[in-house]
């Protein structure tokens, strides 16, 4: 069993910053790709950022230069530092990890954390 616990969401004014965390626990052999997605009200879930086990980074155009994804392998944790937040960044943010456990490789999702950016 693998559990993902997200934290760090909240209410922030436009231009402010937040840091999201996603901690994985359980019978984990290897964490491969770590991703962040978000879903705004009435919209589909969209990709935000990704980091592979080799350190390759990918960002959505809408957040490139403002958001930074990072990982702490010792803690099985992925972070999303969000700076210069805009109203349109308001969404529920989800972490998504590709994890190998005993005998299986699968994708796991966090429970989501609300980020609200106010004017």
């Amino acid at each position: 069993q693998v559990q993902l616990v997200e934290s760090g969401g909240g209410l922030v004014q436009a231009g402010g910053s937040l840091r999201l965390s996603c901690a994985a626990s359980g019978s984990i052999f290897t964490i491969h790709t770590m991703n962040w997605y978000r879903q705004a009200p009435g919209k589909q879930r969209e990709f935000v950022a990704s980091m592979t086990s080799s350190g390759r980074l990918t960002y959505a155009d809408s957040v490139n230069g403002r958001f930074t994804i990072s990982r702490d392998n010792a803690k099985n944790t992925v972070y999303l530092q969000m700076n210069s937040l805009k109203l349109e960044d308001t969404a529920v943010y989800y972490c998504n990890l590709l994890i190998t456990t005993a005998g299986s490789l699968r994708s796991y999702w966090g429970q989501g954390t609300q980020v609200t950016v106010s004017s």
Side-chain angles (χ1 to χ4, degrees):
Q1 291 282 1
V2 173
Q3 297 82 38
L4 302 185
V5 177
E6 297 185 39
S7 61
L11 175 65
V12 63
Q13 285 192 325
S17 298
L18 283 174
R19 189 176 84 151
L20 307 182
S21 300
C22 173
S25 62
S27 302
I28 298 170
F29 282 3
T30 305
I31 299 178
H32 304 280
T33 303
M34 294 178 159
N35 306 300
W36 286 97
Y37 287 79
R38 67 186 181 185
Q39 188 167 17
K43 295 187 177 181
Q44 290 187 334
R45 191 170 297 188
E46 65 176 4
F47 169 79
V48 175
S50 174
M51 174 180 268
T52 67
S53 57
S54 62
R56 179 179 178 181
L57 305 178
T58 306
Y59 295 97
D61 289 343
S62 59
V63 307
N64 197 21
R66 301 187 297 120
F67 290 10
T68 302
I69 187 172
S70 61
R71 61 193 287 172
D72 185 333
N73 291 327
K75 296 181 179 179
N76 287 335
T77 299
V78 60
Y79 304 96
L80 186 68
Q81 177 67 43
M82 305 184 295
N83 298 328
S84 301
L85 283 161
K86 303 177 181 181
L87 297 178
E88 53 264 40
D89 294 320
T90 295
V92 178
Y93 283 72
Y94 299 90
C95 60
N96 168 245
L97 275 59
L98 186 62
I99 296 174
T100 298
T101 61
S104 69
L105 170 66
R106 58 161 286 191
S107 176
Y108 294 85
W109 290 88
Q111 81 279 10
T113 185
Q114 177 70 47
V115 171
T116 302
V117 183
S118 65
S119 59

